[in-house]
């Protein structure tokens, strides 16, 4: 082979070897541009040029920033991802009697367990899932989101129905939640047959053995099943699984923090949770449609019908010294803790219903895992966590063993390369789903339908 030929081979090999370091980021940027082109140029980024970070909370909390779905093209996409039943999902209901009834019921259900009951329930469900790993292996390789999802499926079933969750029902809930979050991350297309199986179970259960807390009277029988499925067995399970996976992966990738936990006590773990939620907020961009004018001092008012795109990660990075460092001790003092921190939303505008006990229950689940295992991971930790959090669990009986450096090096390499096909998959599937959502127009058609009933297209295509 000529010198030119060898040079070409060398260049091709170098390009191939560098793929994991540039291709995923390039594909993500391309995906964002395609999404914006398909969805149109609607929306005012917050924080952004028109609404700076210092106005984030005030604008978010203004009474006129209360539109949820009607009038925003982005709503078609979120309704598509959340089908079936997005028209009664608590996050997407417009202000009014239906929302008031749903929100009141959610609060009543979540207020059922006492603090001690929450602690006992989460601890018991976590131990049950960990017991299913077995006890003879010296090391378990898991995906943290997959590990935690059955825990929260069992927890929220028992919170709703006040009875233990049968294994087959836990599998239905887990399959539904995994399908929704995988579609949201564009790693898989939706499988509405899988979601429909949970809907059918819930309708049957509600017909013969309803939960202790009466469900909203303004909802039909079918909508009550959709309400439980969307609020508790989709959003609650997904968000708590993601939150706990982020917490455990942060500990696994920061061994010094994990080691300090042994002597620091529960207050330190709470600071680790705060720091995790600061680095990896569960909400990405929340869109709100203004139903009236929002006046601002020294700036033009935001007119009615504006689509405000509240960017949680961007806002939480603003105004924080050393925001890139993972430093739980920044929460020790009011002088060092971040001022731009809204892990559960803004109190004046539908904050997360779980804000009162989310940190408590995350702590309980993490303590159960840490009681049995040391966590090790070399995987990339990003907010979207499309990898589902690869991690090694090393039983505490082997605490004297050295770090599995070869396994961690192999994990790091595999994680880098997995990003290449995964990013391409996200590009293709994400582009298709954005296009299909615009084509079906679930939200647009629902509000265009005559009063008295939803459009049949709300269920979404298969």
């Amino acid at each position: 082979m000529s010198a030119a030929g060898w040079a070409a081979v060398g260049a091709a090999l170098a390009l191939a070897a560098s793929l994991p370091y540039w291709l995923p980021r390039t594909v993500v940027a391309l995906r964002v541009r395609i999404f914006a082109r398909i969805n149109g140029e609607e929306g005012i980024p917050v924080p952004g040029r028109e609404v700076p970070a210092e106005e984030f909370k005030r604008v978010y909390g203004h009474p006129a920033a209360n539109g949820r779905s009607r009038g925003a093209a982005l709503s078609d996409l979120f309704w598509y991802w959340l089908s079936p039943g997005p028209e009664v999902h608590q996050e997407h209901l417009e202000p009014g009697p239906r929302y008031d009834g749903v929100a009141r019921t959610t609060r009543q259900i979540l207020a059922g367990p006492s603090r001690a009951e929450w602690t006992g329930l989460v601890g018991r469900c976590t131990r049950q899932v960990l017991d299913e790993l077995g006890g003879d292996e010296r090391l378990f390789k898991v995906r943290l989101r997959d590990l935690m999802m059955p825990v929260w499926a069992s927890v929220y079933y028992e919170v709703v129905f006040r009875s233990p969750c049968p294994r087959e029902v836990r599998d239905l809930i887990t399959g539904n939640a995994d399908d929704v979050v995988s579609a949201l991350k564009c790693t898989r297309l939706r499988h509405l047959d899988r979601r429909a199986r949970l809907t059918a179970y819930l309708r049957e259960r509600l017909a013969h053995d309803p939960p202790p807390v009466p469900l909203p009277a303004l909802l039909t029988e079918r909508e009550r099943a959709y309400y439980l499925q969307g609020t508790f067995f989709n959003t609650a399970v997904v968000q708590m699984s993601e939150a706990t996976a982020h917490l455990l992966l942060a500990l696994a990738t920061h061994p010094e923090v994990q080691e300090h936990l042994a002597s620091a006590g529960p207050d330190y773990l709470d600071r680790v949770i705060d720091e995790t939620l600061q680095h990896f907020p569960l909400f990405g961009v929340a869109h709100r449609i203004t139903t009236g004018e929002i006046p601002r001092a020294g700036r033009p008012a935001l007119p009615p019908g504006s689509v405000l795109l509240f960017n949680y990660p961007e806002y939480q990075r603003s105004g924080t010294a050393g925001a890139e460092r993972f430093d739980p001790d920044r929460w020790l003092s009011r002088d060092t803790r971040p001022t731009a921190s809204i892990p559960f939303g803004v109190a004046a505008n539908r904050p997360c219903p779980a804000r009162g006990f989310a940190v408590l229950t995350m702590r309980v689940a993490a303590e159960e895992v840490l009681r049995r295992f040391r966590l090790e991971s070399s995987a990339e930790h990003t907010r979207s966590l499309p990898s589902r959090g690869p991690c090694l669990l090393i039983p505490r009986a082997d605490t004297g063993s050295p770090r599995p450096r070869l396994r961690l090096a192999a994990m790091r390499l595999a994680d880098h390369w997995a990003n290449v096909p995964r990013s391409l998959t996200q590009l293709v599937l994400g582009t298709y789903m954005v296009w299909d959502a615009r084509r079906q127009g679930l939200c647009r058609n629902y509000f265009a339908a005559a009063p008295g009933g939803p459009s049949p297209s709300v269920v979404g295509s298969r």
Side-chain angles (χ1 to χ4, degrees), residues 347-397:
N349 193 341
R350 298 195 196 180
C352 175
R355 65 192 183 281
F357 53 84
V359 171
L360 165 69
T361 52
M362 287 173 64
R363 184 204 311 145
V364 172
E367 286 173 340
E368 291 292 342
V369 175
L370 292 168
R371 191 171 290 121
R372 296 196 191 191
F373 300 105
R374 185 175 92 242
L375 311 178
E376 297 275 4
S377 181
S378 56
E380 183 182 14
H381 193 173
T382 62
R383 192 199 70 81
S384 63
L385 204 65
S387 66
R388 313 192 314 280
C391 186
L392 302 177
L393 305 182
I394 302 171
R396 287 292 178 185

Side-chain angles (χ1 to χ4, degrees), residues 108-443:
Q108 290 172 344
I109 291 173
L110 294 176
S114 66
R115 185 180 180 89
E117 287 173 327
W118 272 111
T119 300
L121 173 60
V122 174
R124 170 165 49 82
C125 292
T126 306
R127 289 191 295 273
Q128 180 180 5
V129 169
L130 295 179
D131 287 342
E132 294 169 7
L133 290 174
D136 298 330
E137 289 81 354
R138 296 190 61 187
L139 181 148
F140 299 92
K141 183 176 180 180
V142 300
R143 304 275 176 169
L144 290 170
R145 195 185 83 199
D146 298 347
L147 178 70
M148 298 313 301
M149 198 165 274
V151 172
W152 297 109
S154 297
V155 167
Y156 280 100
Y157 180 93
E158 193 158 337
V159 168
V160 170
F161 292 108
R162 303 299 285 175
S163 62
C165 183
R167 176 59 184 268
E168 64 273 14
V169 180
R170 191 187 82 180
D171 291 344
L172 282 177
I173 296 171
T174 301
N176 171 81
D178 179 67
D179 188 64
V180 171
V181 72
S182 296
L184 281 164
K185 296 178 189 298
C186 303
T187 57
R188 285 205 308 262
L189 291 174
R190 304 176 309 159
H191 295 280
L192 289 187
D193 286 342
R194 183 179 304 165
R195 305 184 192 187
R197 287 193 287 272
L198 177 58
T199 307
Y201 167 80
L202 290 172
R203 294 189 68 175
E204 178 74 13
R205 172 73 196 251
L206 293 179
H208 297 94
D209 190 11
V213 175
L215 299 185
L218 290 178
L219 302 185
T220 66
E221 176 188 338
R222 181 185 64 179
E223 287 175 333
R224 289 171 191 163
Y226 287 160
Y227 156 65
L228 290 180
Q229 184 165 350
T231 301
F232 292 97
F233 305 133
N234 166 6
T235 297
V237 172
V238 166
Q239 295 287 56
M240 290 304 298
S241 300
E242 289 267 301
T244 316
H246 278 302
L247 171 60
L248 297 176
L249 189 59
L251 290 169
T253 54
H254 295 85
E256 72 286 355
V257 173
Q258 187 177 171
E259 184 177 348
H260 187 53
L261 270 177
S263 58
D267 289 344
Y268 184 69
L269 181 54
D270 284 351
R271 297 201 298 274
V272 175
I273 293 173
D274 288 337
E275 184 73 350
T276 300
L277 294 175
Q278 185 69 13
H279 278 263
F280 310 105
L282 297 178
F283 302 104
V285 176
H287 74 280
R288 302 288 182 263
I289 304 97
T290 58
T291 55
E293 183 178 270
I294 299 181
R296 298 183 297 160
R299 294 180 182 273
L302 297 171
S306 299
V307 180
L308 304 176
L309 305 177
F310 292 99
N311 189 319
Y312 279 67
E314 185 69 23
Y315 174 66
Q316 293 200 164
R317 283 193 295 267
S318 67
T320 301
E324 72 286 348
R325 294 195 319 272
F326 191 86
D327 180 15
D329 285 340
R330 77 170 82 237
W331 298 88
L332 277 170
S333 167
R334 291 185 179 275
D335 296 331
T336 57
R337 68 178 56 185
T339 55
S341 181
I342 50 168
F344 303 107
V346 175
N349 193 341
R350 298 195 196 180
C352 175
R355 65 192 183 281
F357 53 84
V359 171
L360 165 69
T361 52
M362 287 173 64
R363 184 204 311 145
V364 172
E367 286 173 340
E368 291 292 342
V369 175
L370 292 168
R371 191 171 290 121
R372 296 196 191 191
F373 300 105
R374 185 175 92 242
L375 311 178
E376 297 275 4
S377 181
S378 56
E380 183 182 14
H381 193 173
T382 62
R383 192 199 70 81
S384 63
L385 204 65
S387 66
R388 313 192 314 280
C391 186
L392 302 177
L393 305 182
I394 302 171
R396 287 292 178 185
D398 293 333
T399 51
S401 61
R403 296 190 71 198
R405 299 186 184 280
L406 287 178
R407 294 289 297 267
L408 291 171
M411 176 187 287
R412 184 67 172 173
L413 185 63
D415 183 61
H416 268 309
W417 280 100
N419 272 335
V420 175
R422 183 166 53 230
S423 63
L424 294 172
T425 297
Q426 289 177 292
L427 174 64
V428 173
L429 299 187
T431 301
Y432 169 77
M433 286 190 284
V434 172
W435 170 83
D436 196 29
R438 290 300 302 274
R439 179 184 65 84
Q440 293 195 48
L442 301 183
C443 178

